[in-house]
Amino acid sequence: MKKLLVTGSSGLIGSEVVAGFSADGWEVHGVDNNMRADFFGPQGDTRSVGAIR
Ligand SMILES: NC(=O)c1ccc[n+]([C@@H]2O[C@H](COP(=O)([O-])OP(=O)(O)OC[C@H]3O[C@@H](n4cnc5c(N)ncnc54)[C@H](O)[C@@H]3O)[C@@H](O)[C@H]2O)c1
C-alpha cells in the first residue's frame, strides 16, 4: 500500500488531500498543530476534524 504524510492535514488544502488519497486507497498520515486557531481564533480551530497535536 502506498503511504502519504500530509502536513497541515486539517487545513483547507490538507484535509482535501487526506480525503482524496484515502479514497484512492493510500495509507494517509496527517500532522497538524492547529496553528489556524492561533491565526484566526476559535472560528479557525480545526480540532473537530481530527488534528493530531
Ligand atoms: N487556499 C489556497 O487557495 C492556497 C493557494 C495557494 C497556496 N496556498 C498555500 O497552501 C498552504 C495551505 O493552505 P490552506 O488554504 O490549506 O491553509 P489552512 O490555513 O487552511 O491550512 C494550513 C494548515 O497547516 C497547519 N499548520 C500550520 N503550521 C503547522 C506546523 N508547523 N505543523 C503542522 N501543521 C501546521 C494549520 O494548523 C492549518 O490546519 C499555505 O501555505 C497556503 O499559503 C493556499
Side-chain angles (χ1 to χ4, degrees):
M1 178 184 288
K2 292 185 177 180
K3 297 180 182 178
L4 177 67
L5 173 64
V6 181
T7 58
S9 55
S10 298
L12 183 66
I13 294 172
S15 60
E16 291 297 324
V17 170
V18 169
F21 279 86
S22 295
D24 286 344
W26 287 55
E27 180 181 315
V28 181
H29 300 268
V31 178
D32 198 299
N33 66 357
N34 201 27
M35 188 62 78
R36 253 177 155 266
D38 286 7
F39 290 146
F40 304 117
Q43 289 185 328
D45 193 317
T46 56
R47 279 178 292 185
S48 64
V49 294
I52 299 170
R53 301 184 64 130

